[in-house]
Amino acid sequence: MKMLINVPETVVADALRGMAAAHPELTVDVENQVIVRRDAPVAGKVGLVSGGGSGHEPLHGGFVGPGMLSAACPGEVFTSPVPDQMVRAAAAVDSGAGVLFIVKNYTGDVLNFDMAAELAEDEGIQVAKVLVNDDVAVTDSLYTAGRRGTGATLFVEKIAGAAADEGQPLERVEAIARQVNENSRSFGVALSAVTTPAKGSPTFDLPTGELELGIGIHGEPGRERRSMMTSGEIADAALHAVLEDLPPRNPVLVLVNGMGATPLLELYGFNAEVHRVLAERGVAVARTLVGNYVTSLDMAGASVTLCQVDEELLRLWDAPVRTPGLRWGM
């Protein structure tokens, strides 16, 4: 496979060096693999720390900045960061108001963030944790006990980040993050397999003319494999699964997320089908975001995430944000 890299062993370090050169508003520690807001710690502000394996960019490092994360810990490709990274990040952003860890539900991430929370508390840092587990496709998949954390991570990081920037206390920021997760559901589809730099070839076999419904962001298997479907048929299947699990009582935020190799032309067309299905089901849409945000390297495909919101959550979603991967209102 052709890749724009030097060698697989330095992919993450090289990307972090490039990120530092592009974004001087961030402090990028290449050696320790920690990305921090340059103005951290902000007095009186709860620090938000997240992280996970690299390969899902702009998640998480691309969401560091005003209105979102205070710091992120990128692991190696599809590999959890280690507790030392998380403790270093927590110490860098703690102003005395506490730190919230936002953790996607993958076994390595959960174990390492749990250990990091204990170590950080030993250093006098107050830590709370929120687990993101929004994927309705399967339960107890590869790497996961329970549901996987996917697209709702963006909603949690943005809305909790806005609450933290307002100076809300740790207990309230944690409660808001939990509310967002509890009101979010996702479903993804793969049109092609993913190729990691270390392997250099597709990590699973997906024959021409077939797709995988319900995949995870590491290429984990989904609910079923089918012959290729139209955009409208995929939207019908994905939203049937989502709405079966979460019948919205309030308007929803919609994320139509590319998995990394699907062009915007296709994503916007898919978004039109998503809106068609939601209109047919009587679901009011408050806001829509389309693009590549929670990716899986070079996988072709898309995911849909819905988050039902009340007036406060919508206000926090609309609040200004300025990060490499998401920005408005500033």
Side-chain angles (χ1 to χ4, degrees), residues 124-255:
I125 302 171
Q126 183 184 5
V127 176
K129 302 188 298 290
V130 170
L131 191 68
V132 182
N133 57 351
D134 55 301
D135 183 14
V136 302
V138 295
T139 301
D140 298 332
S141 177
L142 295 173
Y143 318 118
T144 307
R147 290 181 167 178
R148 301 174 294 212
T150 57
T153 312
L154 183 151
F155 290 148
V156 173
E157 291 178 356
K158 169 62 184 77
I159 292 173
D165 269 22
E166 288 183 350
Q168 298 198 39
L170 179 60
E171 295 79 8
R172 182 59 186 152
V173 176
E174 177 188 4
I176 288 170
R178 291 187 187 282
Q179 181 184 359
V180 174
N181 177 65
E182 290 166 1
N183 285 282
S184 297
R185 300 291 189 276
S186 296
F187 191 92
V189 57
L191 308 183
S192 72
V194 59
T195 301
T196 63
K199 192 170 188 294
S201 61
T203 57
F204 63 95
D205 178 43
L206 186 56
T208 301
E210 295 186 359
L211 53 75
E212 185 87 17
L213 288 173
I215 49 86
I217 56 174
H218 308 94
E220 306 99 311
R223 287 186 171 186
E224 60 179 311
R225 188 165 291 187
R226 292 189 189 177
S227 297
M228 188 59 196
M229 302 157 64
T230 67
S231 177
E233 290 168 340
I234 294 171
D236 287 331
L239 286 165
H240 174 77
V242 168
L243 296 173
E244 187 177 47
D245 201 89
L246 181 76
R249 299 179 301 277
N250 296 322
V252 296
L253 305 176
V254 177
L255 171 62

Side-chain angles (χ1 to χ4, degrees), residues 287-311:
R287 304 286 186 273
T288 303
L289 185 64
V290 179
N292 289 284
Y293 294 102
V294 183
T295 62
S296 184
L297 291 172
D298 64 341
M299 181 187 286
S303 62
V304 180
T305 305
L306 302 184
C307 175
Q308 61 175 345
V309 291
D310 56 20
E311 289 185 4

Side-chain angles (χ1 to χ4, degrees), residues 5 18 45 78 95 97 105-106 139 169 204 214 290 315:
I5 65 173
K45 176 189 172 309
F78 290 1
S95 67
N105 189 33
Y106 295 96
T139 301
F204 63 95
V290 179
R315 180 184 65 80

